[in-house]
């Protein structure tokens, strides 16, 4: 019997595993980097062990340090979570060699499937060799790991070498393995996967299908179970192939076999020899705890009884600290508040006041809704997200809500090109509450005025300016003997946290929270603007500034001040949150300044380069 589990991971998945361990009466051990010294998973574990350093390479990718931590803390088992070393056969062997229980598949199974090139060979497939024009488009893909890191779509042969170089660097940074391969890229397919669960007694379960087609940068955004609209024959084929993959490597534990479905055919992608991020939708539909099953299987128990029957539909949305309208740029800063309504499941690694750092994936939480039908599950999740209070850096929350309500998605006609087609419409011109600036101004006025601020003599209205949805808004209000008033709107109530307005005879409530110059009014975020802008805050024309904190990992070869550049030409690469981001020339012109160097860490707004337009 396992009595103490170390989770070789961080954030949401560590907290998720700890929850099941606590319910089972199992003690928990966390490992943490210096950046995660006060993270939620560190605080909630029974015991925590420091891994010196902040980057993944120094900490969560150091299997030797993690095994030492498990031994030192008295753990008798290790759960790898997902990402980092979860699909590293050498790490699994090191855990077993230390006399610990490995809550995962045998190292040999990981080894066979962890390399996507070897996995394809095992399934009778092979990656492309020399790429020609006839092969385009192709996908450059990391042989190890997942999560969209180390992946590049190539549509021109001239871009292949750069894509290979970038994918290798990103894969090496994220997984400690820079091997990549090339395969045909299937346009507009659906990403469908099958959850498998296998014990040491020869039983393999397939727990339905999941659809994970809504993706950005090859990373999943919205997942659901079961995959809607699959013909019965195709679904049976997917289950048969998944069982074949599991049995081919004598698989044990929880795993996922992934496919791209196009033109009614299933194209094998890979087998993930670990728990998936999206496992909660399968848990909701089948009424089981996959982490508990992993632990029972690791203890040698057989899968109990018969395969559970599915019930209803479940949908999961990943809430990211990122700005979809700005190239999905990750965001950092303090998460002041995260509050999700009752009736949905929340898996998160953050609580109010935690800092979102630069070193790790920007996922804040997973929100899951389960209902008797798909339409009800979509409605429930969209409504819950719409009412979620998320105060801090920009997030993809509004995008998630609009995606869940998009006609193409609700009709089940989505594919992996969904955001390529619809991102502009889903982010540009997003409706903003026109009364939010007024509510913010009234809350600020009431919060800063102890005695109401009214005067006996007539006075000019007070004025405040806010930026909202990319536009500037100016609002006017007065302090009177009867309280605060605003043109055309009756103020029913106003204090620093709640404003009630009567608009055309209908009362509306606005919850207001202020953090410095950032103001949240219900689901709308605003920035308070100064009355007189600072003239020194202007940047020179053509200035390229850092859109996020990160590290300059590469500068285009031979590029120096004075060089001619073309619009869209990469100038340098920033690495942030385990992803590399291009900084490109905004127009044809001349590079007049390049004040940064490789290895330099930069903050949001740091000047990276200046391009003088031709």
């Amino acid at each position: 019997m396992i009595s103490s589990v170390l989770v070789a991971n961080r954030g949401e998945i560590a907290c998720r595993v700890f929850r099941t361990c606590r319910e089972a009466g199992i003690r928990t051990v966390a490992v943490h980097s210096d950046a995660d010294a006060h993270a939620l998973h560190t605080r909630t574990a029974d015991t925590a062990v420091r891994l010196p350093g902040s980057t993944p390479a120094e900490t969560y990718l150091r299997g030797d340090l993690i095994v030492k931590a498990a031994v030192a803390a008295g753990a008798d088992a290790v759960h790898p979570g997902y990402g980092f070393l979860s699909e590293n056969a050498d790490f699994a062997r090191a855990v077993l060699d230390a006399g610990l229980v490995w809550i995962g598949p045998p190292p040999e199974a990981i080894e066979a499937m962890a390399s996507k090139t070897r996995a394809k060979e095992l399934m009778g497939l092979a990656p492309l060799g020399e790429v020609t024009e006839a092969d385009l488009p192709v996908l450059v893909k990391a042989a190890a790991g997942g999560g969209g890191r180390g992946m590049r779509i190539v549509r021109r042969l001239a871009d292949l070498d750069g894509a290979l170089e970038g994918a290798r660097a990103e894969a090496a940074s994220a997984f400690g393995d820079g091997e990549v391969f090339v395969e045909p890229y299937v346009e507009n397919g659906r990403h469908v996967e099958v959850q498998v669960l296998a014990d040491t007694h020869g039983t393999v379960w397939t727990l339905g299908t999941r659809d994970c087609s809504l993706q950005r940068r090859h990373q999943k955004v919205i997942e659901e179970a079961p995959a809607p609209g699959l013909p019965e024959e195709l679904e049976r084929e997917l289950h048969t192939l998944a069982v074949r993959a599991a049995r081919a490597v004598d698989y044990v534990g929880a795993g996922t076999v992934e496919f791209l479905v196009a033109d009614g055919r299933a194209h094998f992608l890979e087998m993930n020899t670990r728990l998936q991020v999206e496992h909660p939708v399968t848990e909701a539909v089948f009424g089981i705890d996959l982490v508990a099953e992993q632990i029972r299987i690791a203890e040698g128990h057989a899968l109990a009884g018969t395969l559970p029957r599915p019930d209803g539909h479940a949908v999961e949305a990943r809430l990211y600290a990122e700005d979809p309208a700005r190239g999905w740029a990750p965001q950092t800063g303090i998460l002041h508040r995260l509050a999700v309504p009752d009736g949905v499941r929340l898996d998160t690694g953050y609580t109010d006041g935690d800092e979102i750092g630069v070193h790790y994936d920007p996922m804040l939480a997973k929100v899951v809704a389960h209902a008797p039908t798909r339409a009800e599950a979509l409605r429930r999740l969209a409504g819950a997200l719409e009412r979620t209070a998320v105060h801090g850096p920009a997030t993809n929350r509004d995008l998630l809500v609009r995606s869940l309500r998009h006609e193409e998605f609700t009709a089940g006609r989505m594919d992996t090109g969904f955001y390529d087609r619809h991102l502009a419409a889903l982010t540009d011109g997003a409706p903003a509450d026109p009364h939010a600036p007024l509510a913010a101004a009234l809350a600020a006025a009431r919060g800063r005025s102890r005695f109401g601020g009214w005067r006996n003599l007539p006075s000019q209205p007070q004025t405040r300016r806010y930026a909202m949805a990319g536009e500037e808004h100016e609002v006017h209000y007065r302090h009177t003997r009867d309280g605060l008033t605003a043109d055309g709107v009756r103020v029913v109530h106003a204090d620093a946290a709640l404003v009630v307005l009567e608009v055309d005879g209908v009362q509306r409530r606005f919850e207001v929270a202020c953090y410095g110059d950032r103001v949240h009014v219900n689901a709308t975020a605003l920035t308070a603007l100064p009355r007189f802008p600072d003239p020194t805050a202007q940047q020179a024309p053509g200035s390229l500034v850092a859109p996020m904190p990160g590290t300059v990992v590469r500068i285009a070869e031979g590029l120096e001040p004075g060089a001619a550049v073309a619009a869209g030409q990469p100038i340098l690469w920033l690495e942030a949150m385990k992803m590399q981001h291009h900084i490109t020339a905004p127009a044809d012109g001349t590079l007049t300044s390049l004040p940064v160097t490789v290895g330099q860490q930069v903050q949001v707004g740091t000047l990276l380069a200046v391009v003088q337009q031709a």
Side-chain angles (χ1 to χ4, degrees):
M1 296 290 288
I2 292 172
S3 62
S4 177
V5 171
L6 178 143
V7 177
N9 220 292
R10 64 174 301 279
E12 173 268 325
I13 184 56
C15 294
R16 160 71 188 94
V17 176
F18 291 160
R19 183 169 69 243
T20 289
C21 288
R22 284 194 298 271
E23 291 171 357
I26 296 172
R27 289 182 292 110
T28 56
V29 181
V31 289
H32 68 87
S33 66
D34 290 338
D36 279 339
H38 303 292
L40 181 62
H41 79 276
T42 306
R43 304 196 306 265
T44 56
D46 296 316
T47 305
V49 181
R50 175 184 176 236
L51 303 175
S54 292
T55 67
E58 296 172 307
T59 55
Y60 300 109
L61 290 173
R62 287 288 303 274
D64 56 334
L65 297 182
I66 293 173
V67 171
K68 288 180 181 177
V71 173
D76 49 25
V78 172
H79 191 297
Y82 50 71
F84 294 129
L85 296 172
S86 62
E87 294 178 280
N88 187 302
D90 290 338
F91 177 57
R93 288 193 183 95
V95 170
L96 294 169
D97 290 344
L100 304 170
V101 175
W102 170 249
I103 304 177
E108 295 76 18
I110 296 175
E111 208 157 46
M113 287 294 186
S115 170
K116 296 174 179 61
T117 52
R118 290 190 285 277
K120 286 182 177 295
E121 292 168 359
L122 195 64
M123 297 294 287
L125 306 169
L128 289 173
E130 183 176 351
V131 179
T132 67
E133 287 281 355
D135 298 316
L136 298 175
V138 297
L139 184 66
V140 177
K141 199 170 184 180
R149 298 175 187 88
M151 295 178 69
R152 303 285 190 278
I153 300 172
V154 178
R155 301 184 184 277
R156 302 187 311 157
L157 276 181
D159 298 333
L160 181 59
D161 288 344
L164 288 167
E165 183 178 353
R168 289 189 186 107
E170 194 167 88
S173 174
F175 315 120
D177 184 346
E179 181 188 352
V180 298
F181 66 96
V182 181
E183 67 180 6
Y185 179 64
V186 179
E187 300 269 16
N188 302 328
R190 286 177 60 185
H191 189 121
V192 178
E193 58 192 32
V194 177
Q195 175 73 58
V196 299
L197 197 61
D199 61 24
T200 56
H201 303 271
T203 300
V204 178
W205 282 356
T206 54
L207 295 167
T209 58
R210 295 189 290 251
D211 189 295
C212 311
S213 297
L214 264 62
Q215 303 177 4
R216 56 94 166 108
R217 289 183 169 176
H218 310 292
Q219 287 185 308
K220 301 160 188 173
V221 177
I222 295 176
E223 305 103 339
E224 58 183 308
L230 292 181
E232 288 186 15
E233 183 178 347
L234 178 57
E235 190 164 346
R236 284 196 299 269
E237 180 187 359
L238 293 172
H239 283 246
T240 299
L241 290 171
V243 172
R244 182 194 303 173
R247 292 200 182 281
V249 294
D250 296 324
Y251 198 78
V252 173
T256 299
V257 185
E258 301 195 344
F259 302 89
L260 198 61
V261 173
D263 300 323
R265 296 173 53 209
H267 304 264
F268 173 78
L269 288 175
E270 60 187 298
M271 182 176 187
N272 293 131
T273 54
R274 54 171 169 83
L275 201 64
Q276 290 280 85
V277 179
E278 57 272 20
H279 74 272
V281 293
T282 297
E283 292 184 322
V285 168
F286 283 88
I288 65 173
D289 183 330
L290 286 171
V291 174
E293 293 297 332
Q294 285 184 297
I295 293 172
R296 293 186 73 256
I297 289 169
E299 290 177 330
H301 298 291
L303 288 169
T306 58
L307 183 70
R309 296 180 61 84
D311 176 35
H313 200 94
V315 189
E316 171 181 293
R318 302 189 192 185
L319 183 65
Y320 285 102
E322 65 183 13
D323 189 344
R326 293 174 51 230
W328 310 97
Q331 306 292 297
T332 60
I334 301 298
L335 179 65
H336 297 288
R337 187 179 181 209
L338 176 61
V340 176
D342 293 337
V344 293
R345 169 174 168 176
L346 175 68
D347 284 13
T348 182
Y350 291 92
T351 54
D352 296 356
D354 286 350
E355 183 172 3
I356 305 163
V358 68
H359 297 289
Y360 312 112
D361 187 275
M363 189 176 76
L364 301 179
K366 302 180 310 195
V367 185
V368 186
H370 180 233
T373 67
R374 181 175 188 264
E376 291 172 290
L378 295 182
R379 183 177 65 186
R380 180 173 295 177
L381 182 56
L385 286 167
E386 193 171 44
R387 296 190 301 276
T388 292
V390 53
H391 299 168
T395 72
N396 68 335
R397 189 270 307 278
D398 292 343
L399 175 78
L400 295 174
V401 173
R402 291 191 287 273
S403 298
L404 289 164
R405 291 172 173 165
H406 193 279
E407 179 183 6
E408 187 174 303
F409 184 71
T410 58
R413 294 185 284 105
M414 65 286 179
D415 56 50
T416 56
F418 179 85
Y419 286 123
D420 293 336
R421 295 189 299 275
H422 303 302
L423 181 62
L426 290 168
T427 55
D428 291 351
D433 192 324
H435 293 100
L438 176 58
L442 295 173
R446 181 61 74 194
R448 295 172 186 173
S449 177
R450 293 173 56 195
F451 303 106
W454 67 272
R455 301 176 182 178
N456 280 325
L457 299 176
S459 64
Q460 294 297 315
Q462 300 290 311
T463 301
R464 291 184 186 273
R465 297 166 53 245
Y466 294 92
M468 179 180 71
E471 297 181 358
E472 184 176 318
H473 296 260
E474 189 173 273
V475 295
H476 308 276
Y477 60 92
R478 293 177 187 271
H479 291 282
T480 70
R481 185 185 300 273
D482 297 322
L484 287 166
T485 63
D487 293 340
V489 177
R490 177 171 172 257
V491 183
V492 178
H493 172 86
D495 60 35
L498 176 67
V499 173
V500 181
L501 303 177
E502 187 174 292
V503 183
D504 297 329
V506 178
Q507 288 192 10
R508 295 189 56 201
R509 295 169 59 88
F510 298 85
E511 294 185 4
V512 183
C514 182
Y515 311 95
D517 63 356
R518 190 74 166 170
V519 185
H520 293 266
V521 180
N522 289 349
T524 301
L526 307 93
T527 301
L529 300 174
R531 290 185 62 191
F532 305 104
D534 182 0
T536 65
Q538 302 295 321
Q539 292 277 6
S543 294
L544 303 178
V545 298
M548 67 205 78
T551 303
V552 178
V553 294
R554 181 183 165 200
I555 293 175
E557 187 174 355
L559 201 58
E560 295 179 352
V565 294
Q569 177 182 338
I571 293 176
L572 56 84
W573 286 256
L574 274 183
E575 184 169 280
M577 297 181 177
K578 300 193 289 184
M579 298 286 284
Q580 290 193 2
H581 308 268
H582 295 98
I583 304 298
T584 61
D588 294 347
T590 303
L591 181 68
T592 60
S593 177
L594 188 63
V596 294
T597 57
V598 173
Q600 180 177 336
Q601 292 190 336
V602 297
Q603 299 301 315
V604 174
T606 298
L607 180 65
L608 302 175
V610 179
V611 175
Q612 183 177 340
Q613 189 169 345

